[in-house]
Amino acid sequence: MAGWARAVRALVLDVSGVLYDSGGGGGTPIAGSAEAVRRIKASGLKLRFCTNETQATRENFVKKLQGLGFDISVDEVTAPAPAACRILKERGLRPHLLVHNDLVPEFAEIDKANPNCVVIGDAAENFTYANLNEAFRVLIGMEKPVLISLGRGRYYKETDGLKLDVGAYMKALEYACDVQAEVVGKPAKKFFESALAEMGVRPQEAIMIGDDIVNDVGGAQQCGMRAVQVQTGKYRPCDENHPYVKPNAYVDNLAEAVDIILQQL
Amino acid sequence: MAGWARAVRALVLDVSGVLYDSGGGGGTPIAGSAEAVRRIKASGLKLRFCTNETQATRENFVKKLQGLGFDISVDEVTAPAPAACRILKERGLRPHLLVHNDLVPEFAEIDKANPNCVVIGDAAENFTYANLNEAFRVLIGMEKPVLISLGRGRYYKETDGLKLDVGAYMKALEYACDVQAEVVGKPAKKFFESALAEMGVRPQEAIMIGDDIVNDVGGAQQCGMRAVQVQTGKYRPCDENHPYVKPNAYVDNLAEAVDIILQQL
């Protein structure tokens, strides 16, 4: 009975689809999620928010969530852009950026002169023909092209319809330059590992709670964590027939997951 | 000695890089190529021009070549758009078009209401964020998405720099919708077969002359034809180390190929 919830010291929460639903002028909180976050914090469990959001700086992302009633601060958020910045610094890489305007400040301290790699995020309106050609030319001009992608999502839904996500544009550049992108963000193992390192826990002590069967559940499990799928956000019944990812449990929503986990403490 | 040129009844010529170099306000004829086309026609050999050009109707493409001094007519040209139209008619497909404005007239007689497939060509400036999302939505809304791509080129060079070709955008849509595109144009076997059928010859009776190691040489050989690579256009010395395509011969240019072929008649 709920063995999946035992011996836990830390929780990793996906944000969009778990805390709130995006779209409609900022988003709508999911019922019970704000209270659930407060209960996790009161319990003494460690907590990280782990998102693939790349359309805003963490500062603005967190402000939006606070406005929706969530107890969340910037230093609790693991996001692709800061993870990419660490990689750029470690390897002396100077990026050409193809990202959303609102994400650019995350790269403020990074040297971008004379680029020797391309960083692609969900650039949205910045995915123009001219910008794609420019990123391509920078890449193909390198002796050994380095492409870093902030996520590998296929598409997502906004109030005005489905939109191609960064993964599609990553594939276009991969094909044109005959390279393989390095993906930063979920489901990359390193991304989950950095969230765990920030909390100082081992994978087997942590549970991921997310709505995305591949990026959240599959990614966390690959890293040795347990993972439960909420039936909010992008969850669809057909996820339960996924050919190779099986969550440790399904829950109605974050509130139910937290109920069960706190009962086992 | 030049065994590759024996027992030939028909020639298939690539156009860009063999007859002329594109860019610079319409293009520049390659020295000797216009005369070579006239000699082929005088010899009695059958002849087709086989191009992946999808930025203009055949009418306008042919007009440009005539202006450069070539003896060529519309009914001698095998191009992806008319081949796609045949497929659309055969299978009752109604396309959503993501193509260059100048190619649209090729689809004038095709029913495009209530689309049940997407046709993608080198749309150039029409590869906007909005147009890509729209093509994606049409595809993902189908029970079984059908994506037809006019070629699978990675990129090409224009006077103002390298440009992503249709293949890159095809890959983006393939990934987003988890489908495989049907490619019309070189190097597809069917495309060469239709050029041969139009001349009424068998593959072993025909020689392809092109500058592209994969699309021209590899494609024609897969179809059972002989293929020679000219050292004009996009030819690069490293093509000679291609891991799996080996032309039957290399020639300096079209004029030299025709010299050798006519000597064997």
Side-chain angles (χ1 to χ4, degrees), chain A residues 4-15:
Chain A
W4 61 267
R6 290 197 186 127
V8 60
R9 286 186 57 213
L11 299 183
V12 180
L13 305 191
D14 176 34
V15 179

Side-chain angles (χ1 to χ4, degrees), chain A residues 183-212:
Chain A
V183 177
V184 178
K186 298 178 287 186
K189 199 175 168 185
K190 274 194 180 174
F191 194 64
F192 288 99
E193 286 171 347
S194 72
L196 294 172
E198 284 151 358
M199 295 188 289
V201 300
R202 292 172 300 161
Q204 58 270 33
E205 298 172 314
I207 297 175
M208 171 82 205
I209 302 173
D211 65 333
D212 187 312

Side-chain angles (χ1 to χ4, degrees), chain B:
Chain B
M1 264 306 295
W4 61 267
R6 291 200 185 124
V8 61
R9 288 184 58 212
L11 299 183
V12 180
L13 305 191
D14 176 33
V15 180
S16 176
V18 174
L19 300 191
Y20 81 114
D21 283 317
S22 58
T28 322
I30 292 171
S33 287
E35 177 61 23
V37 169
R38 276 189 286 274
R39 291 170 66 206
I40 295 166
K41 291 194 169 182
S43 74
L45 285 174
K46 293 177 188 244
L47 176 62
R48 290 293 293 177
F49 301 94
C50 195
T51 179
N52 268 7
E53 170 69 37
T54 62
Q55 284 206 2
T57 58
R58 276 175 306 170
E59 280 70 16
N60 286 329
F61 184 58
V62 160
K63 260 183 218 160
K64 180 173 77 176
L65 289 162
Q66 289 170 340
L68 294 173
F70 290 95
D71 178 0
I72 181 172
S73 63
V74 169
D75 56 10
E76 294 171 326
V77 176
T78 302
C85 287
R86 277 196 300 278
I87 291 171
L88 296 170
K89 282 178 189 162
E90 277 167 25
R91 289 162 50 186
L93 291 171
R94 300 176 305 276
H96 171 89
L97 298 178
L98 178 53
V99 302
H100 198 284
N101 287 346
D102 294 344
L103 193 71
V104 173
E106 290 277 16
F107 296 88
E109 289 174 20
I110 301 287
D111 179 10
K112 291 179 279 294
N114 189 16
N116 56 4
C117 77
V118 167
V119 172
I120 182 174
D122 175 17
E125 304 290 342
N126 278 347
F127 281 132
T128 63
Y129 181 61
N131 286 349
L132 280 163
N133 280 331
E134 196 186 348
F136 161 67
R137 281 179 213 134
V138 171
L139 265 184
I140 200 79
M142 295 172 196
E143 198 175 334
K144 200 179 168 309
V146 176
L147 174 61
I148 294 175
S149 186
L150 306 180
R152 56 181 305 132
R154 293 168 187 263
Y155 60 90
Y156 55 86
K157 194 175 181 171
E158 289 199 332
T159 42
D160 58 342
L162 296 173
K163 304 280 172 76
L164 288 169
D165 199 356
V166 60
Y169 294 95
M170 171 191 89
K171 285 287 170 187
L173 292 176
E174 281 188 341
Y175 177 72
C177 301
D178 200 15
V179 293
Q180 181 124 34
E182 302 172 35
V183 178
V184 179
K186 298 179 286 186
K189 199 174 168 186
K190 273 194 181 173
F191 193 64
F192 288 100
E193 286 171 347
S194 73
L196 294 171
E198 283 150 358
M199 295 187 289
V201 302
R202 291 172 301 160
Q204 57 270 34
E205 297 173 316
I207 297 175
M208 171 82 207
I209 302 174
D211 65 333
D212 188 313
I213 184 73
V214 171
N215 287 313
D216 295 328
V217 176
Q221 287 180 336
Q222 282 257 320
C223 179
M225 297 166 66
R226 287 162 277 174
V228 303
Q229 190 179 12
V230 293
Q231 293 173 333
T232 52
K234 68 167 72 164
Y235 164 85
R236 295 180 303 172
C238 68
D239 290 347
E240 305 198 9
N241 306 319
H242 194 280
Y244 59 89
V245 182
K246 199 92 208 150
N248 296 79
Y250 297 98
V251 291
D252 289 344
N253 48 40
L254 177 62
E256 192 195 8
V258 171
D259 278 347
I260 296 170
I261 290 163
L262 297 189
Q263 280 165 23
Q264 306 278 329
L265 286 184

